[in-house]
Amino acid sequence: DARVTQTPRDKVTEMGQEVTMRCQPILGHNTVFWYRQTMMQGLELLAYFRNRAPLDDSGMPKDRFSAEMPDATLATLKIQPSEPRDSAVYFCASGYDGYNEQFFGPGTRLTVL
Amino acid sequence: GDSVTQMEGPVTLSEEAFLTINCTYTATGYPSLFWYVQYPGEGLQLLLKATKADDKGSNKGFEATYRKETTSFHLEKGSVQVSDSAVYFCALTRSGNQFYFGTGTSLTVIP
């Protein structure tokens, strides 16, 4: 059945390194959301796209985070340089305009040492 | 702005106990309301939803009724099982483009 996929599932890196997380939304979906989940802050919206265009990325630290959709089947979230405080689980979700539901991927667990 | 407030946890219940997790919302107009569930190590999954006032969403024995007069969408289950142990999130959207999630309520069911 159709589902959102995310890679990698786990990533351990050292402070200062670049991290790229990838998401494949469900085929046909035209909205993509990036969330970050931590114990302290809960679920935070980082960015969302509609028809590959960024609509809101106000939740993202602009100096180090960037999100893109090179094509309709791939969304990326990049952190450069990474810091220990970026350690979290990052979720991608996709949906379709006019259909009020989001479908979440399994997440990428990022640990920055 | 739009927001969701849900009951803080953690909640610990014995198997077959009755569950209520409270959720209230603030939004203009008529949002759609959701309960999502997150099992350990997984992403969020839609549990149930309601799109208009007085609608009742139900799934897997869970129910929630959209109460506009009290701006609430409380989650209930008559008899919980160990397999219901998870984190539950209340959420709303008005447009389908912007979703607002509560902080999550952790439920542990003990045999």
Side-chain angles (χ1 to χ4, degrees):
Chain A
D1 62 322
R3 56 184 66 192
V4 177
T5 58
Q6 291 186 247
T7 56
R9 291 296 310 274
D10 282 281
K11 176 72 176 179
V12 180
T13 190
E14 294 190 346
M15 183 173 64
Q17 296 298 303
E18 178 177 299
V19 175
T20 298
M21 290 169 271
R22 293 177 175 80
C23 166
Q24 183 171 15
I26 292 173
L27 190 65
H29 282 187
N30 69 336
T31 58
V32 171
F33 304 79
W34 282 104
Y35 293 92
R36 174 171 63 185
Q37 185 178 43
T38 61
M39 289 295 292
M40 294 300 295
Q41 300 296 327
L43 199 62
E44 303 173 274
L45 176 66
L46 297 176
Y48 76 91
F49 294 76
R50 184 171 65 196
N51 297 327
R52 297 177 53 203
L55 289 193
D56 185 359
D57 61 1
S58 59
M60 253 179 7
K62 299 291 191 304
D63 55 339
R64 299 183 300 109
F65 284 58
S66 62
E68 295 180 345
M69 280 201 74
D71 62 60
T73 64
L74 177 65
T76 62
L77 180 66
K78 188 175 296 186
I79 308 174
Q80 168 63 17
S82 58
E83 298 181 1
R85 59 181 167 149
D86 301 329
S87 298
V89 180
Y90 291 80
F91 288 104
C92 174
S94 71
Y96 188 78
D97 256 353
Y99 185 66
N100 289 344
E101 185 175 334
Q102 290 188 336
F103 296 81
F104 280 76
T108 294
R109 181 175 297 278
L110 174 65
T111 303
V112 183
L113 304 174
Chain B
D2 295 353
S3 66
V4 171
T5 302
Q6 68 179 96
M7 170 177 157
E8 294 206 9
V11 175
T12 302
L13 295 174
S14 297
E15 206 164 23
E16 299 183 4
F18 185 86
L19 169 70
T20 299
I21 301 178
N22 290 337
C23 171
T24 57
Y25 68 90
T26 300
T28 55
Y30 297 87
S32 294
L33 302 174
F34 307 83
W35 278 101
Y36 280 83
V37 59
Q38 184 180 29
Y39 298 104
E42 298 184 12
L44 280 68
Q45 304 172 26
L46 180 66
L47 179 60
L48 54 84
K49 67 179 180 181
T51 57
K52 60 183 187 296
D54 300 324
D55 266 3
K56 177 185 285 188
S58 61
N59 186 24
K60 300 180 181 178
F62 291 88
E63 294 183 339
T65 300
Y66 189 142
R67 301 282 189 205
K68 185 137 181 80
E69 64 275 14
T70 53
T71 61
S72 65
F73 193 56
H74 304 320
L75 183 67
E76 296 182 335
K77 186 174 186 182
S79 176
V80 294
Q81 305 300 312
V82 172
S83 57
D84 294 327
S85 298
V87 180
Y88 293 82
F89 292 87
C90 186
L92 73 80
T93 185
R94 282 191 290 125
S95 65
N97 285 336
Q98 181 71 289
F99 284 74
Y100 297 87
F101 287 85
T103 52
T105 301
S106 174
L107 170 67
T108 300
V109 180
I110 54 179

